[in-house]
Amino acid sequence: MKRRFLLSVPLLAGPLLAGGCSILPSRPFLETRRYALSPQRPASTARAGGPRGAILLRTLRSGPGMETRGLRRVTPEGTLDIAFYDEWLAPPADLVEAAMREWLIASGQFTAVTAPGSRLRTSLILEAELIMLQAEPGQARAGMTALLLADGENLGEPRVLAQRRLEATAPLPAQATPVAQAAGIQAALAQLLAELESWLVSSVQENRRR
């Protein structure tokens, strides 16, 4: 029995070796490309009139489908495509939150921009949710919802000052490469953060007039 088994091995291995190429990957290896998402705030856009007290930036939430790192691309047919080999360095909400913090600090409009867990008492609280970050035919789009609160005194509930949905776009070439798409999305995010800053400043000013 042992001898017959040993003799049968080459007979089975032969066809496998002969057809070995059929079990190898048919597609070439593609290295994953990762992109930063850190728009720089132009120094020339600094506004006068600050600072307006300290503001707490709470953890940015991810909207439905925004947890994935792959670039989100809308095809000309209107369907959503998630890139497999082109992605952000970290989850989009984490990168956008860091960009928001740096942007607001650089604005000079607030005494401090704190994070959850800080012991500093802040008069303002910003809650936001990332709802859109994608490349579309001819443009890139970024969007979020934002809620501005006034910290309640003596353990009271925070008071709503303003709430808004913000969107911004940036142009893209007709046949944009993934590199161009990532750059366009970052440009759209820069526009979005500029709109967020402007909205925060006007909301605080309006509240002070009341």
Side-chain angles (χ1 to χ4, degrees), residues 1-20:
M1 293 297 291
K2 291 183 179 180
R3 187 176 181 181
R4 286 198 300 271
F5 174 77
L6 292 174
L7 289 175
S8 66
V9 171
L11 296 177
L12 294 173
L16 292 177
L17 293 175

Side-chain angles (χ1 to χ4, degrees), residues 108-130:
Q109 294 295 324
F110 303 96
T111 306
V113 181
T114 67
S118 172
R119 299 178 62 182
L120 177 65
R121 180 71 178 269
T122 61
S123 58
L124 300 169
I125 302 171
L126 176 61
E127 295 183 356
E129 181 178 16
L130 182 65

Side-chain angles (χ1 to χ4, degrees), residues 95-180:
L95 297 177
V96 174
E97 180 184 334
M100 288 173 60
R101 193 177 309 281
E102 292 300 322
W103 189 283
L104 294 179
I105 290 173
S107 73
Q109 294 295 324
F110 303 96
T111 306
V113 181
T114 67
S118 172
R119 299 178 62 182
L120 177 65
R121 180 71 178 269
T122 61
S123 58
L124 300 169
I125 302 171
L126 176 61
E127 295 183 356
E129 181 178 16
L130 182 65
I131 59 174
M132 192 180 304
L133 201 65
Q134 61 195 35
E136 302 175 355
Q139 67 178 7
R141 187 185 299 272
M144 68 171 59
T145 58
L147 175 65
L148 181 62
L149 305 169
D151 188 23
E153 298 181 359
N154 301 322
L155 301 180
E157 290 293 327
R159 179 168 54 92
V160 176
L161 298 182
Q163 186 173 16
R164 186 174 175 181
R165 176 189 173 105
L166 301 162
E167 286 191 18
T169 61
L172 281 179
Q175 300 295 330
T177 64
V179 174

Side-chain angles (χ1 to χ4, degrees), residues 34-122:
R34 295 180 174 85
Y35 305 95
L37 190 59
S38 54
Q40 299 300 312
R41 184 182 190 279
S44 59
T45 60
R47 295 173 175 269
R52 292 173 170 76
I55 184 170
L56 167 62
L57 176 57
R58 288 184 173 165
T59 302
L60 182 66
R61 300 186 301 274
S62 294
M66 297 303 302
E67 303 87 357
T68 59
R69 295 191 185 190
L71 266 62
R72 295 168 59 89
R73 303 177 293 197
V74 177
T75 67
E77 294 73 28
T79 59
L80 180 64
D81 172 61
I82 305 296
F84 288 103
Y85 300 103
D86 295 277
E87 61 181 30
W88 304 111
L89 287 172
D94 293 350
L95 297 177
V96 174
E97 180 184 334
M100 288 173 60
R101 193 177 309 281
E102 292 300 322
W103 189 283
L104 294 179
I105 290 173
S107 73
Q109 294 295 324
F110 303 96
T111 306
V113 181
T114 67
S118 172
R119 299 178 62 182
L120 177 65
R121 180 71 178 269
T122 61

